[in-house]
Amino acid sequence: MKAADWFVKFLILNGTTEAFGLPGAVVLDLLYAMERFRPEFTPHLTYHEQGAGFAACGYAQASGKLGVAYATRGPGMTNMLTAMADAYYDSLPVMFVTAHSGAAKKQGMRVENNQEIDTVTLASSVAKYAVRVDRGEDLPHEVQRAYRMATEGRKGPVFLDISVSALCGEIETEPVVLQIKEYRKLNDIADDIVSAVRSAERPVFLIGNGVRQAGMQEEMRRLAACAGVPVLSSRSAQDILPDADMYFGFVGSHGTRYSNFILSKADVIVALGNRLAFPVNSPSFRPVAEGAKVIQVDVDETEFLREVPNTQPYAVDLRGLFPALLEQTFSYTGQEHWISVCRELKQTLNHWDRTPAVQAVMRIMEAAEKNVVFVCDVGNHSFWATNAYTYSNASNRILYSGSFGTLGSALPKAVGVCYGAKSPVFCFTGDQGVQMNIQELQSIGQNRLPVAVVVLNNCASAMIREREERKFKGHFVHTTPDSGYGTPDFRAIADAYQLSYHCITDVKALEESGVVFENLPAVVEVRVDEQTPLAPYLPVGRPCQDLLPELPRELYQRLDALR
């Protein structure tokens, strides 16, 4: 069969049924192969290669399958690089594919063939594997190797630059389903964790997105219930156990107040698939590690180069650890008292930081059916959505651009999530972020995708404006209407892309409007006061539990003294 057909058939056999990209001369053979396999496989047109890359990221996040993005050579490939970096930082299994028609340029030459560029060098720093494929007979080996690299261990993006002649060549062998790796039960490490918990007074599990990467969400739920150990999470993992009795929120510089309080009191921290990504010398978080015994379990041993104090690292896959942990009996000193302390903190602080913006997002999330997936962009609105998710007791999936923090990623990701989850999507974005890939409103509109694009419009680049205010004493540049920043007419934009439009001016108007997200796709503009702060936040140097705006000092001291 044709090599391009072999490639598409391999993807189908291994669970991927969608791809995202734009036509280009050198990728037409691959695109037409995808067309030949309809309806088993569907290529989706996006309107920018970066949008294609982010759509593939969203597909991978939502489905757990390999995402695929394709683009033409030269500028098509370089346009995908930001999405590739986003996938690399967030460990998303995405295969980025481009093609070429010329030989690799001679060393020392700037340009030999128009649009041809050293793609492998460009991709190598943000891909687990990057390869140029010039011969058709090499294609099966390289595709299978790239697939394994993307989906095994710590997941991540891979990059293939395939020659047109290779795609048009013949392959005699049939593609196969790759076998899933088996993991042996890690009894010794489980014994060490149980021993540490039993000797503790105030243990916590600190989970990260690695739990989901390993497919251990249900096992984590069972472990939390049977161990009786409070569970905290990173922000990107807040939807793993949102409705579990032992879950007490996400930690961080914008974390939930009661979560940071609980972390500050812990004497044993068992980090499962969590990178412990705070700066090692952070005066806010380093004392937490120095005052506790830390056990860190991560599939990627390079994460231990961070050298968090008092840490016992284990470079293993959680798929081998959880079966062993679930066979254990957990008990520790003062178990009931420690859990009661955690519940008192949550009950006392559960109503703080509910700004009007947070309340508006809460109302929207509460209106969502359970199958709706929330996708967030980067900016103040993203943290408002994080807090709203916590306070609304939502249990929907909520997806972020985490470590790379890519402004403008949410809208194209929503396209991929819609196809990957086969569910409606609420895309929370800001007035700035939505403009960075606004062309994907065409993808949503023309395909009538069930997506609500919720634009929290404060007519400012507010997150950076707050930085400018602190550093430059209120001298703003390009972050406010008076300093060069502007926003478009979102009603007119919705009309242009044939989307329905709603405008919400305040929380009361939202409650009275009865906006039900049925007439999708839609743009929902939520007007937010320009001065609405990002709260809570942790300035450098303060204890991790002492966020701003400050709690009344008497209340803070009482809660801080709880043990």
Side-chain angles (χ1 to χ4, degrees), residues 164-178:
V164 174
S165 60
L167 287 169
C168 294
E170 294 289 331
I171 294 179
E172 296 181 1
T173 59
E174 287 286 325
V176 298
V177 178
L178 298 185

Side-chain angles (χ1 to χ4, degrees), residues 21 118 139 179 207 278 458:
D118 185 355
L139 186 67
Q179 297 300 309
I207 64 173
F278 59 84
N458 56 8

Side-chain angles (χ1 to χ4, degrees), residues 410-446:
L411 186 56
K413 274 191 178 181
V415 173
V417 169
C418 197
Y419 288 114
K422 294 180 171 51
S423 295
V425 177
F426 286 6
C427 172
F428 294 97
T429 185
D431 47 274
Q432 185 174 33
V434 71
Q435 297 184 72
M436 297 189 76
N437 273 301
I438 201 167
Q439 75 284 339
E440 300 313 329
L441 288 176
Q442 180 64 27
S443 301
I444 292 170
Q446 76 176 46

Side-chain angles (χ1 to χ4, degrees), residues 537-550:
Y537 78 97
L538 183 66
V540 175
R542 294 175 77 100
C544 75
Q545 70 274 24
D546 195 9
L547 293 96
L548 296 182
E550 283 190 347

Side-chain angles (χ1 to χ4, degrees), residues 28-90:
L28 287 179
D29 291 286
L30 179 60
L31 176 59
Y32 274 71
M34 293 176 182
E35 282 287 311
R36 282 193 290 274
F37 279 91
R38 283 182 182 265
E40 295 176 89
F41 194 96
T42 307
H44 298 288
L45 173 66
T46 60
Y47 287 86
H48 193 285
E49 292 89 354
Q50 187 179 108
F54 281 129
C57 288
Y59 178 88
Q61 275 184 294
S63 69
K65 301 174 183 178
L66 179 79
V68 176
Y70 62 91
T72 193
R73 61 190 172 184
M77 181 273 173
T78 57
N79 281 343
M80 288 198 301
L81 273 173
T82 300
M84 198 182 305
D86 195 76
Y88 187 71
Y89 273 65
D90 281 354

